[in-house]
Amino acid sequence: MKTALVFSRGIRNTPHLSAFLPDYDLKKPTPPQTVIGWGYKPTADKARAFAAAHNLPYTALEDGFLRSLGLGVEGYPPLSLIIDDIGIYYHTAQPSRLEQLIMQADRLPAELSTQAETAMRLIVGNRLSKYNHAADFAETDASKRPSEKPIVLLIDQTAGDMAVKYGGADEHTFQTMFQTALQENPQAEIWIKTHPDVLSGKRKGYLTHIAQQENIRLLAEDIHPISLLQQTDKVYCVTSQMGFEALLCGKPVTTFGLPWYAGWGVCDDRHPDIAKLEQSGRRTGRTLTQLFAAAYLQYSRYINPNTGQSGTIFDVIGYLARARHLNEYLRGNLYCIGVSLWKRAVIKPFFNVPACRLHFVPTADKMLKIKLPPDARLLAWGGGKETVIRLAEQLNLPLLRMEDGFIRSVGLGSNLVPPLSLVIDDMGIYFDPARPSRLEHILQHRHFDEHDRETAQNLQRELIEANISKYNVGRTETTQRPSEKRILLVPGQVEDDASIRLGAPEICRNLDLLRTVRERNPDAYIIYKPHPDVVSGNRIGAVPPEECARYADQTAAETDILTCLQHADEVHTMTSLTGFEALLRGKAVHCYGQPFYSGWGLTGDEHPLPRRTRKLELWQLIAGTLLHYPLYIHPDNQTMTDAATAAAILKKMKAIRQNGIQKRSWFGKRRMKLCYLWSSLKSAKRHR
């Protein structure tokens, strides 16, 4: 491990820095073996001067090519970093570690080549770039093109860009590129992509002032690069990384500067120094796959965004794909009416993506006084209060609904334990069978692939082994089978819960369910498990003890639901999530209502839904329900995570809390509110 001296406070404050630099000791920098600075920017001059004065090597850091969802200036930390102990990739006047890796890429192992091809396909397929906050290009349908002319894209850059300075280019280079593109493509539409800050006057571009010509289209809006590149036929650039992304999209690229990917035979390179690089032995023929493997797999380092530990490019690709989907899903202005300060603090982290602007409005009357933007939508909890539903209809606004996820917490929501997961539904909500929900749409229509299968089966195994359920309350214990008879588990529910009101057309009371199950199964051994919220006294649905004794052989009020499931042969339920948890554990389930997991060929259904025509395998139900429908938030940093990490967190929480807290005092609840609200406010301040 090398001792490293770091002058920059910004570098030291980089989240997960030790995971990026496990081979560097930053805590004991004396005597230093290297000096670390941020690239070759002016801010690193002090570090470079110190290294030169003390005859120490200089190690350059830079953001990786798959950096983050949002911009660094907006608080989004890097998910990939570049560490170069020779030079830096954009400084072509001198060698770099990337250049050496590319020169050695002709001996690329077959496994690494396969990984590169897979990663390239996933990056283009998921439209991923360095930053991923921007909206897709609006004209994604080729049929909407204004003419049949080919489209030639010129990529402008901002003045002061280090890649221009150290890439052998200047203003004249951009002018040459512009004139060449016009001459070589007289029948084409010429598009110029510039930075939004250029037209706003905040920064200067190279092509803005000469682009005001006939047939020149200036694109200054913040467009996601891959979506734009996919609509073009040819790309001209100087040193922009978009040039390499154009190659990934299969577009012919002409370069006029000296970007890191020039001179290897994959582009049409026009810079006069290309020949010198080839003659000096610093450039030779390489394939696009070899370039990608060197730059993205060997040169770049990654963290697993879900855990903060060292990771792979595939960890980052998977995370950014989910984050980008969420960013587009929530894009626009969302108005949430009548939500308490406590619940505001709970839900805010789930909407912390660049494109979402979340507003809390005290009442519907206040909402009527707001001048709404065109992208306004309403956001409601659960099925939505009647006033919010009527308001959405009155204002002709789309309505999003949100609810706790299925892997939630260690402790009850009614005891003010914050959730690790939330579902946000733009079609309905999963517990209302009267209309399709986003979950139902996923289960009915989504193509589940092998990655889904592997991830779902791994998650299923982890949930079973760790005894994880939704709330994880009660005593988890191993017990002997209470009877040799067929054992039926009847889970009680909160009787005024929306899933009962909306999804239980006939039997909607715990006592009626218990009585029906006994009447139909007179010889069975029945275990009745009251709902934890009912036991805690927070919600309604209690069955008198004498009625429990009449119809059930055992009442398990304090026992964890998963302990009850250990010995159950069947679960009989109205709409309880216990039915889904039973399916995960291979139990037979009979539904007297219409829960989200019924109607897919995995349960016995009293009231099947004609809309649900697809027959699912269990892993597909798990993938749709736990992987693709909910959002997960890490409780420590309030950032997006995945189902596997959420399960691991709950496993640790269960061990620490030892079955959690079932009931808090009035003072305890208020203290919990204040603590979590303060934590949430601090987190929101960090991410602004």
Side-chain angles (χ1 to χ4, degrees), residues 527-546:
I527 301 173
Y528 177 62
K529 167 62 180 166
H531 193 279
D533 276 341
V534 175
V535 175
S536 70
N538 296 327
R539 304 289 293 276
I540 66 171
V543 177
E546 62 272 17

Side-chain angles (χ1 to χ4, degrees), residues 10 13-16 20 38 63-64 66-81 130-134 303 305 319-320 323-324 326-328 330-331 348-357 633 637-640 683-688:
N13 291 336
T14 301
H16 316 300
F20 283 119
W38 198 262
D63 289 324
L66 292 174
R67 185 195 185 277
S68 53
L69 174 63
L71 301 173
V73 294
E74 295 181 355
Y76 290 88
L79 307 180
S80 65
L81 281 182
K130 184 175 183 177
Y131 304 104
N132 295 278
H133 61 284
I303 61 165
Y319 181 89
L320 287 179
R324 189 164 181 271
L326 178 62
N327 192 53
E328 293 306 305
L330 299 179
R331 182 176 295 277
K348 280 176 67 175
F350 292 92
F351 297 84
N352 189 24
V353 292
C356 180
R357 293 169 293 282
I633 292 293
N637 54 29
Q638 302 288 284
T639 58
M640 189 183 79
S683 176
K685 185 178 180 180
R686 286 197 305 270
H687 289 92
R688 282 202 295 267

